[in-house]
Structures are given as structure tokens and as C-alpha cells.
Amino acid sequence: MTDNTRLSPGDTIGILGGGQLGRMLAQSAASLGLKSHIFCPDPNSPAFDVSSNFTVAPYEDVDALDRFAAAVSVVTYEFENVPGPTAAHLDRKVAVRPGARALSVSQDRLSEKQFLADTGVAIADFREINSQEDVEQAVAEFAGKSVLKTRRFGYDGKGQLMIRTPNDVANAYERLGSVPTVLEALIDFECEVSVIVARDLDGNCASYDIARNHHENHILKTSTVPAGVAKETLDAARNMAEKIVTGLNYVGVMGVEMFLVKSGDSEELLVNEIAPRVHNSGHWTQDACLTSQFDQHIRAVAGWPLGAATRHSDVVMENLIGHDADDWKAVLEEPSAKLHLYGKAETRDGRKMGHVNRISSKAT
Amino acid sequence: MTDNTRLSPGDTIGILGGGQLGRMLAQSAASLGLKSHIFCPDPNSPAFDVSSNFTVAPYEDVDALDRFAAAVSVVTYEFENVPGPTAAHLDRKVAVRPGARALSVSQDRLSEKQFLADTGVAIADFREINSQEDVEQAVAEFAGKSVLKTRRFGYDGKGQLMIRTPNDVANAYERLGSVPTVLEALIDFECEVSVIVARDLDGNCASYDIARNHHENHILKTSTVPAGVAKETLDAARNMAEKIVTGLNYVGVMGVEMFLVKSGDSEELLVNEIAPRVHNSGHWTQDACLTSQFDQHIRAVAGWPLGAATRHSDVVMENLIGHDADDWKAVLEEPSAKLHLYGKAETRDGRKMGHVNRISSKAT
């Protein structure tokens, strides 16, 4: 439903997904006087603990979706892989934000790249791949290193294959499951950065400072702000991010990941991927900004004006992954650290259990 | 129960009282990976919306209290008028923090003043009053203006009578309900300030910057930090606050209200009253400090170390009282304002509906 719904305090935001992102969205909603209703198939969802209402049901349960739609004023989601039919069904009953187009574009790596290219933001060269022959032809055209990625359901490095040697090419299509894929030119980047951008119902945009991201085992480990890039690069990043959300007629917060490429003194940015939701690399905003990305997303999907995306402190966000979270006591002893834990019952390797924001005075 | 209970993430904090203070405590608990269980007789308590569990029962319901005590690792409270027998009953089953002594002292204005005087902090002169004759004798002794206050259940200016003229003296005891009261010398103060102080299980203290408080109709309207007092005054305030919590063997956050008295260039502080809980005049810490008073209280009652009480921004907190909260849209338009709403269903005159923190860069 494309409408102009604007919420009032006391109204309810429906959230698809009950993980840590849904949890932190529900916490921001509560601070702003809104209620939240979490919809998640997992009966142990950490978001249930902090929301006024929740539904445990599969995303395909049409009756449960109808009751959910009737109980809320607007629907948003914490993950981009909301099944298309679920989003479409809800969209006929209630405003779904950021919006169906953002979901369909970001669920398919090829559509995403085509959209980004059409929008005029810089991206790495890519080819659509539907066979082993396609792989071989594209690798030859790129004449360099490349990476093969499935079009759907990839995250944290899953569904990817590096192609550096002829051996890597052999059976590559089959090794990724013989599903539609995209071949991307491999970029020799300095680092990954990201922009958290928001757009409201009236089309106003606000983007936070860019963060420099460091990954370990393909999972985000730290985000550092300021990122240590030129002012022009910062402006360019924000510019691209705002172009993207405007192009999608987007309402809410989006995470835009970019590669920073250096040649000599010049810095160039290539958009890697977009996430139509609050983003792990924006958790630093909770303690370094007056308006966090979670507050910002709630404001946008409520049809409210955006808050300022300014920053009062420098910050390094560190993810607590798996047994990292066992160190919570040591974190509590650090005077400049703020501990965030997600209330997950079971610690598993690779599972995001919490994060820490370490702030310091803003360097001038 | 005086014990050394220390919680781990996933444990549950019991909170007596489901108003906005209980709500904001539950929100901080969740951010730190703790669960909360709210106990409140009011089925419409705003804190229920953000807590993992709650009980609706009178504070005198012993069975409900027993079930509550069995379900939590520690109990705290959002208000100082927890019935004595309730606190005593719980204390036999589970650690109650800040502690029984803090409750009994702060529930009786006379005990509180005697304790403060014994602790060696400066307070206004006072007399115990049990009859109209006592009033008349004490007024004569003070030879100036004074204020008669009931010993129990006074708040927001209720249960008080100003005595400025002989007319005010007539029937004063009867007019306050013929209950035990205290007569205080009326202080000609410059302003009211307050210190939010915390003490952990190991006896470490941390106190925030003092706030300058402005009241309207006997209800706190704004708290401003910095308060614009001399550095020595700031140190003295913190010193007194830490003396008080140490004297009570206190665990948690306390609000200490003081009168600032000026004579020429010199500033003197007199402690007015203490609140053994998080305090309205400490709401500014949510957006001007990394560790808010709510985080701090949760850390202390969990048996965890305190966070730093340092401040990264200057701030003015404004209460949204009654229909003030109807202006939420205008607040959202202000770039330096953070809106906090308590999710109360009904707006009533004099009811605290929310607050706004307006921050700015720290003046050096």
C-alpha cells in the first residue's frame, strides 16, 4: 500500500523479524512513545522481550499476517529476505516501509546492480551468469580477478566464490549450486566503508558520517568513525547514498556498503551492496549521535521528520561474536565503553551476541 | 537479604513500580542483556510494554510477591514509597537494592533529616512537630519564615504549608491533617540543584555533574547542565552525595536535591531531600552521557561495576507535563532535541508524559 500514513504516539509499528535489529528498533520505538508488534517464526526471538506485542508464526501464514496487519499502523522489517509474497500480501492491507521495490531490488544481486548502474552510482563491473559458459566468457572479458556470487540469499561471505586462477574457473557455476549468479570484477580496495542514510516520507534525506569497516571471517568486526577519508570522499559517499534512496522512493534507513579504492592521493568509491534496513555498521550511531539509526528508521517509517544525523563523538564499534560476549565483565570495566547485549539465550560461534561502542571526544 | 548477588547476562531484575522510571530502567536492563520483571498493581503500567515479564497485583499480595521473588535475581524499585512490609517480605527472599535502610530513612522526612544531620552534610534547621503547640514554639525559635511538611508521602509540593505570617501559623497542624510533621527553616535560595550519585556493591561511588533545576507549579520543569556554579560547589555537592550513599551502605542510583544559597561571591549548599532511586532531574544523562542514570542503576543493582559518570555534551532537560506532550511534532523538528515519550495512554494535567533533552557541544 503506498499511502501517506503518519503515526501518532501510542500507535503500533509492526516489525518482521525478531533478531537484534528488530529488538533495537522496538527499543527506539518505545522511547518515542510508539508500541511495537514483532512478527517472527522463532519463539525465542530476542526482540519479544522488549516489544508490547508479538506473533510467533511462519511468514507464509496468511491468517497470522492478516491479524498482524490489522493490529499495526505500518509494517517494517529487520531483514531484506522477507519472502516476496509476504511483503506483497501485507502491502495490500497496510503501509510497508521502506517499500516493496527496495525489497525486490535488494533480494536479487543482479537487479540491485542494474538499479545501481541505472542510478548513476559507481560500481564494480559485473556480468549476469546463467551457465558455466557465461562464467568462462565473463572471466576472459574481465582479464583479471573476479568473484562469483549467487543472486539471492548471500550474506556474511556465504554464496561467494573467488576466481583468481584458471583452476578457480573450473566448475565454478556448479560449485555455487548451479543457480543464477553474478560475476563481479574483484576490486583491489583500500577498505570497505559504509554510509547509513535515511529518507522520510516527504523525500528529505539525512546521512551519517561514513564508517570504515573491518571484517574477520567475512563478518563485520569493527566500524570506525571518522573513517579517515578526504572530505570530498565523505561528500561523495553521502551523495551516492542519497541518490540511491531517492531513486527507490525509499522510506527508512538503508546501509550502503562501498569499496574505497586509492590510486596515489585520489580516493574513489564503488558501491558494493545495499541493505534496505538498519545495518550493523551503523550501531555506532547509538552512542555517538543524538539520533541513532534505530531512532531514525522508526521516525521515517512512522511518517515523522528525520532527526539530525550529526555526531557528537568519535567512536569505534566492535561486534561481540560468539564467545567474544563472554568478556562482558571486562567491557564493563572500561570507562569509555558502552556494552550492548542482545539477550540471546545461546552463544554460538559466529553468532552476533552484542556489540560495544567506545567513544572519545570528537577530533577537530 | 544482604548478600553478594551478582547477576549475569540473561538474569532477571525485578522492579517494583511500572511508571516511566520503571520503564526506562527496564529499557536499560534490556540493552545490557538483562531481563526485567515489573511488579505493579496498575494493569496499564507503561513499563509493561518494554519488559520481558510482569505481574499485576497489589503490593500487599504475599503470594504474588513470593512468586515474583522466586522469578528474579534481585529486586529494585522506582519509587520510595514501597510499603515497608512489602520491602521487608521480599528482603527475606531475595536481595533488595538499594536496600531497606534507604527506604525507611527516605520514607520519613524526620528520619531523613536526622540521618543527614548525623552524616555531617549541611541541611536547613528543622524541628519535629507533633502538635499545634510544637508548630508555634518552633516558628518562634526560627524567628523567620518556615515551611511545615508532613513526614510521609509528600511529593511535588503536596503535604506542605508555607509559614510566612502569624495567620499562616493558625491551625497549621490541623490544616496538614494533624499528622506527624517537620518544620523547616525556609531557605532563601538562589536555585535548586541536584546530584545523581551511584554506589556499587564494592562501595565505589560515581556522581554526575550537578543540574540546576527549575520548577513550575511545584513540578520539575527543566534541569540544566552545567548548572553554572563554581567548581568548588560542584565538588562539594558530589562530596556530600557520596557521603550520603556511603552512610546508607547504598547500592544503586540516588537523587540528592540541594538548595544553592549565595551570599556575595560565596556559594553554599544545603541538602533538601534524597530520593533512593533514579530521579527526574537525572534524565539529562540519557543523551549527554555514555552511561545514563538508568544504565548506572541497573549496573549497580546487578552487582556490576559502575560506568563513568562523565558527560560528553551540555544539555537542558525539559519535562513534558500534561498537554505539553501534544507538541511532540514540534520537538521532532528541532535538530538538537531528543524526544522521550512514556507511552501513557491518557494525558492528564500535571501528569509527566515525557521529556526532551536538548544537547549542545560542551562549553570548554
Side-chain angles (χ1 to χ4, degrees):
Chain A
M1 215 162 93
T2 50
D3 71 356
N4 286 310
T5 306
R6 292 183 196 266
L7 277 61
S8 293
D11 289 344
T12 301
I13 296 189
I15 301 174
L16 297 171
Q20 66 269 18
L21 301 181
R23 177 177 164 102
M24 292 186 276
L25 285 170
Q27 289 175 308
S28 280
S31 293
L32 288 163
L34 295 160
K35 295 184 193 296
S36 54
H37 184 134
I38 310 286
F39 191 111
C40 192
D42 179 358
N44 296 314
S45 296
F48 294 167
D49 273 349
V50 298
S51 66
S52 25
N53 215 334
F54 61 87
T55 296
V56 180
Y59 292 119
E60 295 73 22
D61 182 335
V62 171
D63 289 342
L65 289 174
D66 285 347
R67 285 191 300 273
F68 174 67
V72 304
S73 297
V74 65
V75 168
T76 188
Y77 38 85
E78 64 152 14
F79 67 119
E80 58 271 39
N81 288 321
V82 173
T86 302
H89 185 82
L90 288 170
D91 196 46
R92 284 190 289 272
K93 316 237 163 183
V94 63
V96 177
R97 296 174 183 157
R101 174 124 194 264
L103 269 186
S104 67
V105 160
S106 62
Q107 285 181 357
D108 181 333
R109 209 178 284 276
L110 181 65
S111 315
E112 185 175 311
K113 291 190 179 295
Q114 283 165 341
F115 161 75
L116 291 171
D118 292 348
T119 304
V121 301
I123 58 172
D125 204 1
F126 68 97
R127 294 288 184 279
E128 178 177 356
I129 303 291
N130 293 306
S131 66
Q132 178 64 22
E133 293 68 47
D134 287 352
V135 176
E136 286 164 21
Q137 185 177 338
V139 168
E141 283 179 36
F142 285 174
K145 292 164 185 168
S146 55
V147 54
L148 190 65
K149 299 180 177 177
T150 58
R151 280 172 56 177
R152 300 179 74 87
F153 302 118
Y155 68 98
D156 287 350
K158 294 185 176 69
Q160 302 198 4
L161 202 63
M162 299 297 275
I163 296 190
R164 292 192 182 90
T165 67
N167 266 352
D168 293 333
V169 181
N171 301 317
Y173 187 69
E174 201 185 326
R175 280 187 286 147
L176 265 189
S178 300
V179 292
T181 45
V182 174
L183 189 81
E184 288 174 37
L186 195 64
I187 303 300
D188 183 18
F189 56 87
E190 172 82 7
C191 66
E192 188 206 277
V193 298
S194 58
V195 186
I196 305 300
V197 59
R199 186 169 174 276
D200 71 15
L201 206 52
D202 300 313
N204 301 300
C205 293
S207 37
Y208 292 90
D209 269 356
I210 75 176
R212 175 182 292 246
N213 301 323
H214 169 69
H215 293 76
E216 286 178 10
N217 304 317
H218 301 285
I219 303 176
L220 182 67
K221 184 60 189 165
T222 63
S223 293
T224 301
V225 186
V229 300
K231 164 107 179 43
E232 293 68 33
T233 304
L234 192 63
D235 293 343
R238 288 176 145 161
N239 218 307
M240 288 201 282
E242 298 187 7
K243 236 181 195 174
I244 293 168
V245 288
T246 301
L248 288 170
N249 198 25
Y250 192 90
V251 177
V253 160
M254 172 184 279
V256 182
E257 294 178 12
M258 304 176 183
F259 296 129
L260 178 70
V261 180
K262 280 203 175 182
S263 58
D265 280 351
S266 85
E267 296 178 341
E268 191 198 357
L269 293 167
L270 298 174
V271 173
N272 176 31
E273 64 180 46
I274 63 176
R277 52 169 170 82
V278 287
H279 195 256
N280 194 167
S281 71
H283 290 0
W284 63 269
T285 59
Q286 290 178 307
D287 297 304
C289 301
L290 185 63
T291 305
S292 76
Q293 66 164 346
F294 302 99
D295 300 336
Q296 196 74 299
H297 186 75
I298 292 296
R299 291 169 73 130
V301 301
W304 293 359
L306 300 178
T310 48
R311 179 168 65 77
H312 56 66
S313 298
D314 288 353
V315 59
V316 180
M317 187 285 305
E318 181 189 354
N319 267 338
L320 300 177
I321 298 164
H323 289 281
D324 290 352
D326 297 348
D327 294 337
W328 58 273
K329 273 187 202 171
V331 174
L332 288 173
E333 298 283 354
E334 291 179 56
S336 302
K338 172 83 159 267
L339 177 68
H340 296 260
L341 292 175
Y342 306 148
K344 296 183 181 177
E346 196 194 340
T347 306
R348 284 198 300 266
D349 285 350
R351 193 178 204 196
K352 292 175 179 169
M353 303 299 295
H355 64 274
V356 184
N357 284 326
R358 293 182 173 90
I359 72 167
S360 54
S361 295
K362 211 166 155 178
T364 44
Chain B
M1 216 160 92
T2 51
D3 70 357
N4 288 310
T5 306
R6 291 184 196 265
L7 277 60
S8 294
D11 288 345
T12 301
I13 295 189
I15 301 174
L16 297 170
Q20 66 269 18
L21 301 181
R23 177 177 163 102
M24 291 185 276
L25 285 170
Q27 289 175 308
S28 280
S31 293
L32 288 162
L34 294 159
K35 295 184 193 296
S36 53
H37 185 134
I38 310 286
F39 190 111
C40 192
D42 178 357
N44 296 315
S45 296
F48 293 167
D49 273 349
V50 297
S51 67
S52 24
N53 215 335
F54 62 87
T55 296
V56 180
Y59 292 118
E60 296 73 22
D61 182 334
V62 171
D63 290 343
L65 289 174
D66 285 347
R67 283 191 300 273
F68 174 67
V72 303
S73 297
V74 64
V75 168
T76 189
Y77 37 84
E78 64 151 14
F79 67 121
E80 58 271 40
N81 289 321
V82 173
T86 302
H89 185 81
L90 288 170
D91 195 46
R92 284 190 289 272
K93 317 235 164 188
V94 62
V96 178
R97 295 174 183 158
R101 175 125 194 263
L103 269 186
S104 67
V105 160
S106 62
Q107 284 181 356
D108 181 332
R109 209 177 285 275
L110 182 65
S111 316
E112 184 174 312
K113 292 192 178 292
Q114 284 165 340
F115 161 76
L116 292 171
D118 292 349
T119 305
V121 301
I123 58 172
D125 205 1
F126 69 97
R127 294 289 184 279
E128 177 177 359
I129 302 292
N130 294 306
S131 67
Q132 178 64 22
E133 292 69 49
D134 287 351
V135 178
E136 286 164 20
Q137 185 179 338
V139 168
E141 283 179 37
F142 285 173
K145 292 162 183 167
S146 54
V147 54
L148 190 65
K149 299 180 177 176
T150 57
R151 280 172 55 177
R152 300 179 74 86
F153 302 118
Y155 68 98
D156 287 350
K158 294 185 175 70
Q160 301 198 5
L161 203 62
M162 299 298 273
I163 297 190
R164 292 193 182 88
T165 68
N167 265 353
D168 293 333
V169 182
N171 301 319
Y173 188 70
E174 202 185 323
R175 280 186 285 145
L176 265 190
S178 300
V179 291
T181 44
V182 174
L183 189 80
E184 289 175 35
L186 196 64
I187 303 300
D188 183 18
F189 56 87
E190 172 83 6
C191 67
E192 188 206 275
V193 298
S194 58
V195 186
I196 305 300
V197 60
R199 186 169 174 276
D200 72 15
L201 205 52
D202 300 313
N204 301 300
C205 294
S207 37
Y208 292 90
D209 269 356
I210 76 178
R212 176 182 290 247
N213 300 325
H214 169 69
H215 293 75
E216 286 178 9
N217 304 317
H218 300 285
I219 302 176
L220 182 68
K221 185 59 189 166
T222 62
S223 293
T224 301
V225 186
V229 300
K231 163 108 180 41
E232 295 68 34
T233 304
L234 190 64
D235 291 344
R238 288 177 145 161
N239 218 307
M240 288 201 283
E242 297 187 7
K243 236 180 195 173
I244 292 168
V245 289
T246 302
L248 288 170
N249 198 25
Y250 192 90
V251 176
V253 160
M254 172 184 279
V256 182
E257 294 179 12
M258 304 176 182
F259 296 129
L260 177 71
V261 180
K262 281 203 177 182
S263 57
D265 280 349
S266 86
E267 296 178 341
E268 192 197 357
L269 292 167
L270 298 174
V271 173
N272 177 31
E273 66 180 44
I274 62 175
R277 52 169 170 81
V278 287
H279 195 255
N280 194 167
S281 71
H283 291 359
W284 63 269
T285 59
Q286 290 178 308
D287 297 304
C289 301
L290 185 63
T291 305
S292 76
Q293 66 164 345
F294 301 99
D295 300 335
Q296 196 74 298
H297 187 74
I298 292 295
R299 291 169 71 128
V301 302
W304 292 359
L306 300 177
T310 48
R311 180 169 64 76
H312 55 66
S313 298
D314 289 353
V315 59
V316 180
M317 187 286 305
E318 180 189 354
N319 268 338
L320 299 178
I321 297 164
H323 288 280
D324 290 352
D326 298 347
D327 294 337
W328 58 272
K329 273 187 203 171
V331 174
L332 288 173
E333 298 283 356
E334 291 180 55
S336 302
K338 171 83 160 267
L339 176 69
H340 296 260
L341 292 174
Y342 306 149
K344 295 183 181 178
E346 196 194 339
T347 306
R348 285 199 299 265
D349 285 350
R351 191 176 206 199
K352 291 174 180 170
M353 303 299 294
H355 64 275
V356 184
N357 285 327
R358 293 182 173 90
I359 72 167
S360 54
S361 295
K362 212 167 156 179
T364 44

